Every structure is written in structure tokens, then in C-alpha cells.
């Protein structure tokens, strides 16, 4: 990768209009006598571009690996029942929550390959996405992915405190490859991943995750859930 490529990244199509709006406002601000407002606008325009970046990712290519669908920090790992609209039953599954702040890349990627068995959008509140109750109360879009062996994995896009739109580019019946882009959330949010029964997480609370690259779990592993130490 070149030095320029380190800083210049492709932009998700959802970002074009926002970057344009920020740029126009910035140009108008520079017409004011106090130029500091223009420079503030310029900084915000750069941030807007950075928020909508859509970099290429290198996804581990081995059957059975469950990969993070989002950039961010693992904020919770706990048993929880998947959203009822997915009709995956009343039993709790291991839920891994990845919290994205406004500086993380917000493009979401499929955690594993399979067929999108169900897609369900539900309006709701805009609580801080790091809160546990955000899984229940906030606006969300839920996907059930049926894997080749028939088991299902759920991934849920949850709007955050300042998020106002969830984008999902796939429909029921769509086939997804591991690491393939399927949507994004605008301006701070969270993704929940519900692991199939008996699958243990290979990541710990507090660890950073990168969409399409970080391994969350392995369907073929009998390793116990991992722990970690913060130093």
C-alpha cells in the first residue's frame, strides 16, 4: 500500500450527498469575515468523508469462521434471546455486541456465508447504543443467515444515540459470502451477533474488532470461550 493509499479510502455511496453538503456549507462559511468558521467546516467535511470510508478488507478464507460484521469495540458478550421478529425461538444464544463510535468505519459485512433467511426492520428509540437495553428499545434491522449446515446465525444492526438511518442492501433469499458488504448505519451505532448453540466466542470484551477481518468464533472449534487481560 502506498502512503497516499493509507489516508485516501473509497467512499460508500451513502456518503456522497453528505460530503457534498458539508463541502458547500464550508465554502459559504469561508465567505464570512471570520475565517475560523470556514476552517471548522473544512475539518467537519474531512470527518464526514472519513466516516463514510469503505476500505477494502482481507477476510480469512476458511470454512466455519465467524467474522466481525463491524468495526468497533466488543462491548458485551452474554446470553440473550434473538429478536422475536426473526422467529429463531425463545432460547438464549451467545450474543457478541460490537459498538461503533463516530470515528469507526460504519460499513457492515456478513459475519459468515449463507442465505439470508429473514430480514426484519423495526422502528424504535435512539438510546446510547452501548446500553444493554438498546438491543430491545432502539431502532434495529435484523438478519437471520442460514448456513450450509442448516444452522442459523443472527446479525442485528442497532441505531445509536445520533444514528438516524439503518441501510440494508440485501433481501430475503440473498446469498452472502463471508465478509461481503450488506449495509451500514449512519453516525454511531452497534451490531449484535448471535452465535449458534454451542459455539464459543474467540474474542473478549474490550477488544477491538474490524469488519471483514477479525475472527469472532469458529464453528469447528471446541475451544472454551476466551478470556483477556487489560494492561
Amino acid at each position: 500500500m502506498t502512503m497516499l493509499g493509507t489516508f485516501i479510502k473509497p467512499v460508500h455511496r451513502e456518503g456522497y450527498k453528505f460530503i457534498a453538503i458539508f463541502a458547500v456549507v464550508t465554502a459559504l462559511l469561508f465567505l464570512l469575515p471570520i475565517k475560523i468558521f470556514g476552517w471548522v467546516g473544512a475539518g467537519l467535511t474531512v470527518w464526514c468523508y472519513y466516516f463514510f470510508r469503505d476500505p477494502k478488507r482481507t477476510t480469512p478464507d476458511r470454512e466455519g469462521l465467524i467474522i466481525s460484521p463491524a468495526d468497533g469495540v466488543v462491548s458485551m458478550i452474554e446470553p440473550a434471546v434473538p429478536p422475536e421478529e426473526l422467529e429463531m425461538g425463545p432460547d438464549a444464544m451467545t450474543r457478541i455486541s460490537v459498538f461503533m463510535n463516530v470515528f469507526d468505519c460504519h460499513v457492515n459485512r456478513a459475519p459468515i456465508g449463507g442465505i439470508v433467511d429473514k430480514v426484519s426492520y423495526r422502528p424504535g428509540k435512539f438510546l446510547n447504543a452501548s446500553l444493554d437495553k438498546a438491543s430491545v428499545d432502539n431502532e434495529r434491522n435484523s438478519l437471520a443467515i442460514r448456513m450450509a449446515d442448516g444452522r442459523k446465525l443472527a446479525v442485528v444492526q442497532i441505531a445509536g444515540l445520533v444514528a438516524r438511518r439503518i441501510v440494508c442492501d440485501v433481501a430475503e433469499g440473498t446469498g452472502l459470502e463471508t465478509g461481503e458488504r450488506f449495509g451500514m448505519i449512519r453516525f454511531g451505532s452497534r451490531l449484535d451477533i448471535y452465535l449458534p448453540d454451542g459455539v464459543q466466542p474467540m474474542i473478549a470484551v474490550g477488544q477491538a474488532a474490524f469488519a471483514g477481518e477479525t475472527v469472532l468464533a469458529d464453528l469447528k472449534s471446541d475451544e472454551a470461550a476466551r478470556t483477556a487481560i487489560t494492561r
Side-chain angles (χ1 to χ4, degrees):
M1 179 180 291
T2 64
M3 181 65 71
L4 185 62
T6 302
F7 299 100
I8 305 300
K9 303 293 183 183
V11 174
H12 192 278
R13 65 179 182 278
E14 283 286 317
Y16 294 150
K17 60 183 176 183
F18 288 96
I19 297 170
I21 291 170
F22 273 67
V24 169
V25 172
T26 296
L28 295 175
L29 289 174
F30 270 116
L31 297 177
L32 298 175
I34 304 176
K35 301 302 181 184
I36 186 63
F37 294 117
W39 289 112
V40 170
L44 290 174
T45 301
V46 171
W47 168 81
C48 186
Y49 154 75
Y50 190 67
F51 176 88
F52 284 102
R53 68 195 184 279
D54 184 13
K56 293 181 179 180
R57 293 290 167 83
T58 303
T59 302
D61 186 21
R62 182 170 74 71
E63 185 180 352
L65 293 180
I66 298 173
I67 309 300
S68 179
D71 284 23
V73 174
V74 177
S75 58
M76 285 180 282
I77 298 177
E78 58 188 13
V81 178
E84 59 183 0
E85 58 265 27
L86 289 181
E87 301 174 351
M88 293 178 63
D91 296 331
M93 303 169 70
T94 299
R95 182 181 71 194
I96 301 175
S97 299
V98 179
F99 175 73
M100 299 179 284
N101 66 39
V102 295
F103 298 103
D104 288 316
C105 176
H106 274 56
V107 175
N108 303 144
R109 295 172 179 260
I112 200 163
I115 302 298
V116 179
D117 207 49
K118 194 171 184 63
V119 180
S120 183
Y121 170 79
R122 201 203 74 166
K125 300 177 181 178
F126 296 97
L127 304 174
N128 189 323
S130 64
L131 300 176
D132 183 42
K133 60 182 179 179
S135 294
V136 177
D137 296 335
N138 279 24
E139 175 189 10
R140 67 179 181 237
N141 186 69
S142 306
L143 283 73
I145 300 174
R146 177 166 38 87
M147 298 174 285
D149 61 7
R151 288 185 290 176
K152 291 183 182 180
L153 175 150
V155 57
V156 184
Q157 299 168 287
I158 301 173
L161 189 63
V162 293
R164 286 298 181 270
R165 188 181 179 202
I166 294 174
V167 178
C168 181
D169 297 322
V170 299
E172 294 178 3
T174 302
L176 286 173
E177 298 291 335
T178 306
E180 184 178 349
R181 299 167 179 84
F182 74 88
M184 75 173 301
I185 315 176
R186 291 208 297 250
F187 306 124
S189 42
R190 176 176 127 199
L191 261 76
D192 286 348
I193 306 92
Y194 293 81
L195 302 179
D197 185 47
V199 178
Q200 299 296 327
M202 300 180 70
I203 197 166
V205 171
Q207 284 187 256
F210 295 92
E213 293 190 346
T214 303
V215 175
L216 299 183
D218 185 351
L219 296 175
K220 297 185 176 182
S221 175
D222 58 2
E223 179 182 341
R226 294 187 180 180
T227 59
I229 299 173
T230 301
R231 293 188 174 89

